Amino acid sequence: MQLAADRGFWSKENHQLAEDFGVKKIAIENKGKSNYLKGKPFRERLRRARCAIEAKISLAKRSYRLNRCLYSIHHGEEMWARLGLMAMNLKMAMRYG
């Protein structure tokens, strides 16, 4: 099991908690300027994967209006997010299909 998180989640308690849950590879940078992830291939790979996921979330918020919900019904937020992500996936599939 692997874990990658932002600097804001770094603490000794979080690191220990991840180890207690059996996480083998942990890539959480220390706060401030740190070389903790430099030179360790699995940590660099996890950091890049986290950055790619954050980029997809940013794209969804900007292009598919997932930054706010326009449905004011029960479970409207979930429906709004699912429809937006479905539109995003369909557009990507049409581009490559």
Side-chain angles (χ1 to χ4, degrees), residues 55-92:
K56 293 284 187 188
I57 292 170
S58 176
L59 174 71
K61 284 182 174 181
R62 286 181 288 114
S63 300
Y64 298 94
R65 295 186 179 182
L66 293 182
N67 57 345
R68 64 184 188 142
C69 177
L70 298 179
Y71 288 166
S72 59
I73 59 175
H74 186 62
H75 296 296
E77 292 178 6
E78 182 180 354
M79 287 174 48
W80 185 261
R82 287 178 186 251
L83 289 171
L85 292 174
M86 188 169 57
M88 184 174 160
N89 287 337
L90 284 173
K91 189 172 183 180
M92 297 270 295

Side-chain angles (χ1 to χ4, degrees), residues 15-83:
H15 200 276
Q16 185 61 42
L17 186 64
E19 288 178 350
D20 292 344
F21 276 112
V23 177
K24 301 259 190 263
K25 296 181 178 181
I26 302 170
I28 306 175
E29 292 189 57
N30 294 338
K31 291 183 179 178
K33 192 170 184 180
S34 171
N35 290 330
Y36 176 69
L37 297 181
K38 299 291 182 194
K40 297 178 176 68
F42 78 89
R43 290 181 178 152
E44 284 290 323
R45 188 177 63 246
L46 288 176
R47 185 181 60 80
R48 281 192 221 106
R50 181 181 48 83
C51 290
I53 290 168
E54 288 180 1
K56 293 284 187 188
I57 292 170
S58 176
L59 174 71
K61 284 182 174 181
R62 286 181 288 114
S63 300
Y64 298 94
R65 295 186 179 182
L66 293 182
N67 57 345
R68 64 184 188 142
C69 177
L70 298 179
Y71 288 166
S72 59
I73 59 175
H74 186 62
H75 296 296
E77 292 178 6
E78 182 180 354
M79 287 174 48
W80 185 261
R82 287 178 186 251
L83 289 171

